[in-house]
């Protein structure tokens, strides 16, 4: 770095530090930065030690968490409002997981060159389209439209007279009508509350990215038989232990996201239990572990949400 | 659950801000009664009692008032200030540029002052439970506990 003649060492060090703090400020949304960026930078520089060149670990951690929190939206007014926001996010988790699985199954059918007839394309395309319509309707807070679209998608999966590998939509419809009803009732509750989410789109995107490919892409339907046992075992253990680890990290930033992940895990767990009861002895040993893990995630989320509502 | 205008005000669980604390679950009610405000918020409001201050001055004053216990990081300070401004406990009160650094000053509002006093009274009441009891009573209880 070339130094201008009229700049002394202290000023140069401050400029270096200010540049590094500005990079951290990039974690905040642009509008917030435009309004508060200079003020926060001034405070950070005021608080810096003489000769300090790097942001302290405390400031770095607080700005990472602070920036992500501002991006996530405004904090909930109460634990109830946090739960309603979490249900709103969970709808994205449930329906996007179904959509991803339908798309993945369709890709598999094409790869096996057994499903290019009109009926197959329609049987994949219609539920997928209805899932996407549901997601868009929820995003635009048209809950009644979403309710109709999702109910139609479920009815389609349930009513089709052939094996439909649409997990979890088909699992919900075929194995657990109660679970389908639970999802539809959640949507109905959001419609009744006319819920206005306080979370912003980055959180919605985060829940979709976290949950949608999870389990669907490693589901045994999509893999050759030899790998089934290994991936099923890994998938189920991941289901048990990955959420608590992720949830703890998420709860530091956005407890509503943690609660949404717990909500999704509850549904996946109930689907497993239902399958075990109705179909075959499906992972009987793993169920208490999964139940404990889901409970832990929910507890972490609730405690963090409660803390978030305090001033 | 619904306000007079029928607007959804959240589930009847918990409470924050100026609404009266007190929940249906006993332990939570006790917790709410004494600890409804975070320590960082309490000391930020306390720092602003005497005069309007800018960000760094709030950090220093809060540290001083808490005897070094509350050391606010910038991210925490601004996240808390945002919430206090949203609750109308604090207002932005002027801007200045000093030594090339932008500063915004904050002042305590009447609502903020009332909330701070309410919190202080709660903590004083909680402290009174212990401080009003004669030291001898506590000691004899400890001794009898040990002998038992």
């Amino acid at each position: 770095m070339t130094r201008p003649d009229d700049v002394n060492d202290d000023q140069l060090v401050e400029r270096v530090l200010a540049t590094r703090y500005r990079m951290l400020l990039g974690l905040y949304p642009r509008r917030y930065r435009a309004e508060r960026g200079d003020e926060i930078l001034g405070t950070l520089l005021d608080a810096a030690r003489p000769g300090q060149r790097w942001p302290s670990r405390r400031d770095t951690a607080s700005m990472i968490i602070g920036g992500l929190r501002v991006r996530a939206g405004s904090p909930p007014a109460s634990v109830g409002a946090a739960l309603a926001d979490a249900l709103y996010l969970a709808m994205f988790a449930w329906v996007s997981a179904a959509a991803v699985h339908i798309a993945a199954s369709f890709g598999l059918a094409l790869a096996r060159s057994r499903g290019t007839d009109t009926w197959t394309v329609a049987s994949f395309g219609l539920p997928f389209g209805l899932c996407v319509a549901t997601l868009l309707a929820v995003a635009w807070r048209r809950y009644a439209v979403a309710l109709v679209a999702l109910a139609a998608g479920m009815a389609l999966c349930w009513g089709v007279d052939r094996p439909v590998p649409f997990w979890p939509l088909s699992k919900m419809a075929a194995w657990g009508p109660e679970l389908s009803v639970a999802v539809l009732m959640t949507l109905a509750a959001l419609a009744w509350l006319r819920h206005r989410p306080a979370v912003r789109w980055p959180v919605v995107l985060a829940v979709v990215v976290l949950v949608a490919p999870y389990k669907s892409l490693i589901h045994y339907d999509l893999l050759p038989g030899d790998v089934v046992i290994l991936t099923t075992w890994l998938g189920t253990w991941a289901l048990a232990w990955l959420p608590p680890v992720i949830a703890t990290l998420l709860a530091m930033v956005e407890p509503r996201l943690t609660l949404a992940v717990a909500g999704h895990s509850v549904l996946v767990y109930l689907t497993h239990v239902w399958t075990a009861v109705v179909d075959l002895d499906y992972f009987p040993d793993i169920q208490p572990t999964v139940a404990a893990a889901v409970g832990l995630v929910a507890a972490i989320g609730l405690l963090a949400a409660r803390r978030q509502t305090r001033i | 659950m619904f306000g007079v205008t029928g607007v959804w005000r959240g589930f009847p669980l918990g409470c924050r801000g100026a609404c009266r604390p007190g929940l249906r679950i006993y332990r939570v009610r006790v917790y709410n009664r004494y600890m409804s405000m975070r320590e960082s918020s309490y000391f930020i409001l306390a720092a602003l009692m005497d005069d309007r201050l800018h960000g760094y001055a709030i950090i220093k004053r809060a540290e001083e008032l808490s005897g070094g216990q509350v050391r606010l990081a910038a991210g925490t300070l601004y996240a808390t200030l945002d919430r206090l401004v949203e609750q109308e406990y604090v207002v932005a009160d002027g801007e200045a540029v000093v030594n090339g650094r932008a500063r915004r000053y904050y002042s305590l509002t009447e609502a903020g002052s009332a909330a701070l006093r309410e919190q202080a009274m709660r903590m004083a009441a909680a402290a009174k439970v212990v401080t009003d009891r004669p030291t001898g009573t506590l000691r004899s209880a400890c001794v009898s506990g040990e002998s038992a």
Side-chain angles (χ1 to χ4, degrees):
Chain A
M1 187 184 287
T2 56
R3 180 199 299 192
D5 293 340
D6 58 338
V7 174
N8 62 31
D9 279 349
D10 289 346
Q11 286 171 323
L12 192 68
V13 167
E14 188 177 305
R15 281 187 191 181
V16 170
L17 184 62
T19 308
R20 287 169 178 161
Y21 274 135
R22 273 201 196 91
M23 285 170 72
L24 280 175
L25 277 168
L27 291 163
Y28 286 82
R30 188 176 297 172
R31 191 182 290 178
Y32 188 90
R33 227 162 42 221
E35 196 186 327
R36 312 286 295 276
D38 289 343
E39 179 196 354
I40 298 176
L41 183 65
T43 300
L44 287 163
L45 292 175
D46 279 340
R49 295 184 312 278
Q52 184 180 335
R53 284 171 173 270
W54 289 93
S56 67
R57 270 181 290 183
R58 276 181 78 234
D59 281 335
T60 307
S62 81
M63 287 181 76
I64 291 172
I65 293 174
L68 294 176
R69 274 189 186 153
V70 173
R71 282 185 187 275
S74 46
S78 64
V79 176
L83 286 172
D85 274 349
L87 283 180
Y88 174 84
L89 290 174
M91 284 311 302
F92 281 95
W94 294 329
V95 181
S96 62
V100 165
H101 196 78
I102 292 167
S105 305
F106 184 52
L108 186 75
L110 283 183
R112 287 178 181 166
S113 303
R114 62 172 171 82
T116 47
D117 60 293
T118 315
W119 165 247
T120 308
V121 171
S123 69
F124 282 108
L126 270 174
F128 181 79
L130 286 166
C131 281
V132 173
T134 307
L135 290 174
L136 289 174
V138 173
W140 287 98
R141 294 191 290 114
R142 302 287 184 270
Y143 300 117
V145 176
L147 193 64
V148 172
L150 190 61
M154 284 174 172
L156 205 66
C157 286
W158 205 6
V160 169
D161 187 23
R162 57 186 282 178
V164 190
F166 307 151
W167 187 92
L169 204 61
S170 66
K171 277 269 168 63
M172 283 192 286
W175 300 114
E178 292 87 346
L179 300 182
S180 315
V181 171
V183 175
L184 293 173
M185 278 178 70
T186 303
L187 208 44
L190 289 172
W192 179 66
L193 296 172
R194 292 179 191 170
H195 181 62
R196 294 180 74 88
V199 285
R200 295 208 185 101
W201 66 268
V203 189
V204 172
L205 197 64
V207 82
V208 170
V209 169
L210 272 170
V211 165
Y214 186 70
K215 192 74 179 158
S216 296
L217 294 182
I218 57 168
H219 193 257
Y220 62 90
D221 278 351
L222 302 178
L223 292 160
D226 297 346
V227 206
V228 166
I229 295 171
L230 181 66
T231 50
T232 306
W233 187 81
L234 277 178
T236 315
W237 275 101
L239 180 75
W241 295 113
L242 210 57
V245 174
I246 296 173
T248 313
L249 297 172
L250 290 179
M252 287 173 68
V253 177
E254 186 46 74
R256 287 166 289 187
L257 197 52
T258 313
L259 286 170
V261 171
H264 177 259
S265 306
V266 164
L267 197 75
V268 172
Y269 172 62
L270 288 178
T271 312
H272 277 246
V273 171
W274 186 264
T275 312
V277 171
V278 174
D279 187 25
L280 43 96
D281 199 13
Y282 194 60
F283 312 130
D285 302 336
I286 210 79
Q287 284 175 15
T289 319
V290 176
V294 171
L296 193 63
V297 174
I300 291 168
L302 269 175
L303 284 174
R306 167 130 193 88
R307 190 172 185 280
Q308 198 187 23
T309 57
R310 288 173 65 203
I311 294 175
Chain B
M1 197 151 43
F2 288 94
V4 281
T5 53
V7 177
W8 172 253
R9 297 197 188 286
F11 290 107
L13 297 167
C15 128
R16 76 169 192 167
C19 66
R20 288 188 62 80
L23 295 176
R24 284 147 188 82
I25 307 164
Y26 173 72
R27 287 181 67 182
V28 178
R29 189 193 296 140
V30 170
Y31 173 78
N32 240 18
R33 198 169 153 197
Y34 299 118
M35 305 293 288
S36 69
M37 194 182 279
R38 291 188 204 191
E39 197 178 33
S40 55
S41 305
Y42 180 80
F43 280 105
I44 287 173
L45 292 177
L48 294 169
M49 277 177 83
D50 298 330
D51 200 3
R52 64 171 200 160
L53 295 174
H54 59 84
Y56 180 60
I58 295 173
I59 293 176
K60 295 301 290 177
R61 185 79 179 125
E63 189 173 348
E64 189 186 310
L65 289 174
S66 65
Q69 293 297 306
V70 175
R71 287 175 58 236
L72 294 163
T76 315
L77 170 75
Y78 283 99
T80 313
L81 276 176
D82 287 344
R83 298 199 70 169
L84 294 173
V85 169
E86 187 192 313
Q87 290 291 310
E88 297 177 354
Y89 286 178
V90 160
V91 284
D93 188 11
E95 293 174 19
V97 177
V98 180
N99 296 332
R101 292 171 191 170
R103 283 176 177 173
R104 182 172 288 158
Y105 292 85
Y106 295 91
S107 292
L108 196 62
T109 62
E110 277 186 25
S113 184
L116 180 63
R117 289 201 173 278
E118 199 181 320
Q119 175 68 17
M121 298 290 276
R122 280 193 208 118
M123 292 197 297
K128 231 176 153 190
V129 170
V130 176
T131 53
D132 275 9
R133 190 174 290 192
T135 322
T137 319
L138 285 172
R139 186 170 293 171
S140 63
C142 291
V143 169
S144 64
E146 274 173 21
S147 61

